[in-house]
Structure formats: structure tokens, C-alpha cells
Amino acid sequence: MKVTLIQAPLVWENPQSKRDYFEVKILEITSAVNLIVLPEMFTSGFTMNPERVVEAMDGVTMLWLQALTKANNCAITGSLVIKEEGNYYNRLVFVFPSGDLQFYDKRHLFSLAGEDKVYTSGNQKIVVNYLGWKICPLICYDLRFPVFSSNHEDYDLLLYVDSWAKIRNNGFTGAN
């Protein structure tokens, strides 16, 4: 499986600008790719103001992702702010080339930033079956809970998306 990771400069709480940026980057990919990985809260940056960027599962970003996956015959994954039943979620979506999708709501919310006061925690992890790979997608702070990511589901790939500020990246150059 060929995977492409796309990072982005922060354009705070501006989903349209972020979609425009990622669309250009995706259209610049010249070789066949099976999976494109976008960051945590890729449409907004890691925000504690969900009401400014919130979307529904049938909203603009989801329709945009489904169109991109179909046009590029690849899957795309990343997280964004979703509101359901009055709750905000930091939700990772995995959109297949068919437009079908699976999602995971971040289980371990980053309390030091107050994420737990703004967002609702998910209660289960998922394993995505894609091209013969079993992928377990998780989000950022879930990394600090290794028991949660233990491979009881027999997955092949553990995939984290994150939105680490440079001040917290401890020299890791892959962080946004």
C-alpha cells in the first residue's frame, strides 16, 4: 500500500481555506497512491472553539472528501470537528474510494488543553479493512495510553493523526 502524508501550515479555524490547501496538495500527487493521511482537525487546527468550525457527517467537508476519494481512486483519512446529538467530537473519518466511510471518535481527550471540557470522548476503537490491510486509526493523545492501542483486534497497521504545536514536538520534524 502506498501512503501519502500531507501536513499544512496552520490557518486557524478556516475550513474553506484548509480544504482549498489540501485539494491543491492532493491534485499535485502525480503517482498512484492508495491512502492519503491528513492531520488531526485538518480543517481548523486543534481548536477549543468547535462552534466556529463544526460540521455534520453530511456537511461540506464530508461531501468534499467523498468527491476527492472517488476522483483520485484512493482513501483519505484525518480528523475534524463533528457535532451529533448536541455533542462535539474530534472525529477521525476514513473515506474509501467508493465514498463509503468509517469513523472513530477520539477516546482520550487532552485534558491539559481542556479538550475534555469541550468535546465528548468516544467509547470504542475501530479496525478498518482496506486493500487487505487491517488498520487501527487513533488520534493524537490516544498515543499516551498504550493499553488502549494494544493489538487485541489483530490489526496490521496502527495509524495516528495529530496536531502537535512546534513547542511540544521535542525536535520531531514531522509535527505541524
Side-chain angles (χ1 to χ4, degrees):
M1 177 168 44
K2 186 170 181 185
V3 179
T4 298
L5 311 173
I6 302 177
Q7 297 185 105
L10 184 59
V11 178
W12 198 252
E13 298 176 350
N14 189 332
Q16 184 60 54
S17 174
K18 297 301 286 207
R19 283 190 300 270
D20 291 345
Y21 174 85
F22 285 115
E23 187 162 348
V24 167
K25 291 297 181 189
I26 290 168
L27 294 175
E28 288 175 352
I29 299 170
T30 57
S31 60
V33 65
N34 305 111
L35 175 61
I36 297 171
V37 180
L38 305 179
E40 176 184 22
M41 293 190 186
F42 69 88
T43 60
S44 61
F46 187 77
T47 180
M48 293 300 108
N49 302 306
E51 67 283 351
R52 295 183 186 170
V53 298
V54 68
E55 298 202 39
M57 287 299 283
D58 60 353
V60 173
T61 297
M62 292 307 301
L63 295 173
W64 171 79
L65 284 170
Q66 290 170 318
L68 280 174
T69 59
K70 289 177 184 177
N72 293 283
N73 194 33
C74 68
I76 300 176
T77 191
S79 86
L80 66 158
V81 178
I82 296 289
K83 185 175 185 179
E84 280 188 346
E85 299 177 9
N87 296 312
Y88 296 110
Y89 295 93
N90 182 347
R91 178 169 289 172
L92 178 140
V93 294
F94 191 104
V95 185
F96 295 86
S98 65
D100 293 335
L101 64 94
Q102 286 182 260
F103 67 86
Y104 162 74
D105 293 326
K106 186 175 181 181
R107 167 70 179 211
H108 300 95
L109 302 176
F110 189 52
S111 58
L112 294 174
E115 186 180 17
D116 60 324
K117 294 177 179 25
V118 178
Y119 295 93
T120 300
S121 175
N123 58 16
Q124 60 185 328
K125 63 182 183 179
I126 65 168
V127 174
V128 174
N129 290 299
Y130 181 58
L131 299 179
W133 288 79
K134 292 184 277 182
I135 304 167
C136 180
L138 298 175
I139 303 172
C140 196
Y141 196 55
D142 288 327
L143 181 69
R144 300 291 184 186
F145 301 87
V147 170
F148 182 70
S149 61
S150 294
N151 196 352
H152 301 292
E153 294 83 12
D154 194 31
Y155 56 78
D156 304 307
L157 175 64
L158 183 58
L159 175 70
Y160 286 90
V161 298
D162 69 53
S163 183
W164 288 356
K166 283 186 179 186
I167 196 166
R168 288 184 37 235
N169 75 14
N170 299 323
F172 175 64
T173 58
N176 2 343

